[in-house]
């Protein structure tokens, strides 16, 4: 449906399988931690283990996300009804994507000449989805050579939120 997402398909499949097998909930691979965006609208790309699952996008001020503000649901996305990819063992993963979900200005803190927000994706069970620490999409085919633990160690974000910057 989204042409900009077609280039992510190969990397999406590998990373989705890697994280899901090792962490068993789902993952949001875009945005990734410390990603820079040009507008208050943020693109999302991820997966879950359930079809037609509601994924809440939550945000709050990002200067100190552990100390201030409450998480606010700013949008929702739904996973596909058909599997986006399957493992050789038949485990299905259902993708979700958005070309750009507008994060309200009240959820962005001013930081110098930039703005910063904290974002997390929450599945229907109330669990925060895992995120990436850097762009898996930009990593390209090198991801194919990594085993599960190496992929998580190299690309996994250890926090339960990501920080997104707008210049």
């Amino acid at each position: 449906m989204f042409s900009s997402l077609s280039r992510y398909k190969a990397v999406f499949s590998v990373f989705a399988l890697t994280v899901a097998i090792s962490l068993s909930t789902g993952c949001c691979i875009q945005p990734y931690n410390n990603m820079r965006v040009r507008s208050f609208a943020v693109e999302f790309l991820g997966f879950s283990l359930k079809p037609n699952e509601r994924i809440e996008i939550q945000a709050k001020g990002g200067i100190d996300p552990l100390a201030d503000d409450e998480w606010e649901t700013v949008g929702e996305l739904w996973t596909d009804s058909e599997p986006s990819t399957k493992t050789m063992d038949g485990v299905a993963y259902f993708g979700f994507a958005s070309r750009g979900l507008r994060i309200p200005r009240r959820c962005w803190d001013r930081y110098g000449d930039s703005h910063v927000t904290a974002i997390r994706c929450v599945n229907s069970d109330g669990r925060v989805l895992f995120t990436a620490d850097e762009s898996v999409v930009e990593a390209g085919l090198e991801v194919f050579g990594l085993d599960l633990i190496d992929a998580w160690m190299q690309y996994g974000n250890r926090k339960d939120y990501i920080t997104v910057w707008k210049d």
Side-chain angles (χ1 to χ4, degrees), residues 85-156:
T85 190
K86 286 186 179 182
T87 65
M88 291 173 49
D89 296 334
V91 178
Y93 300 100
F94 301 86
F96 64 88
S98 167
R99 292 187 102 162
L101 180 70
R102 184 157 170 59
I103 308 298
R105 284 189 182 251
R106 66 184 171 274
C107 295
W108 295 84
D109 289 336
R110 187 108 174 116
Y111 189 79
D113 292 335
S114 299
H115 291 85
V116 61
T117 187
I119 297 173
R120 66 184 186 179
C121 299
V122 181
N123 70 11
S124 60
D125 295 327
R127 295 181 69 186
V128 176
L129 298 185
F130 292 94
T131 55
D133 223 8
E134 57 184 277
S135 176
V136 175
V137 173
E138 292 174 11
L141 298 178
E142 84 176 45
V143 175
F144 286 102
L146 299 176
D147 67 23
L148 298 175
I149 294 172
D150 289 341
W152 175 246
M153 293 304 292
Q154 186 167 344
Y155 296 106

Side-chain angles (χ1 to χ4, degrees), residues 18-83:
T18 299
V19 175
I21 289 168
S22 61
L23 303 173
S24 301
T25 62
C27 185
C28 180
I29 60 175
Q30 186 169 329
Y32 53 87
N33 196 36
N34 287 316
M35 183 173 171
R36 296 208 172 260
V37 296
R38 294 183 185 164
S39 75
F40 292 109
V42 178
E43 290 186 23
F44 287 83
L45 176 66
F47 72 92
S48 177
L49 301 176
K50 297 179 186 175
N52 301 314
E53 181 174 31
R54 178 177 180 244
I55 305 295
E56 285 186 9
I57 308 302
Q58 298 180 344
K60 67 178 181 174
I63 288 179
D64 190 358
L66 297 177
D68 66 356
D69 304 330
E70 293 294 321
W71 288 105
E72 177 181 340
T73 298
V74 297
E76 63 183 36
L77 300 172
W78 294 88
T79 61
D80 295 333
S81 58
E82 297 294 321

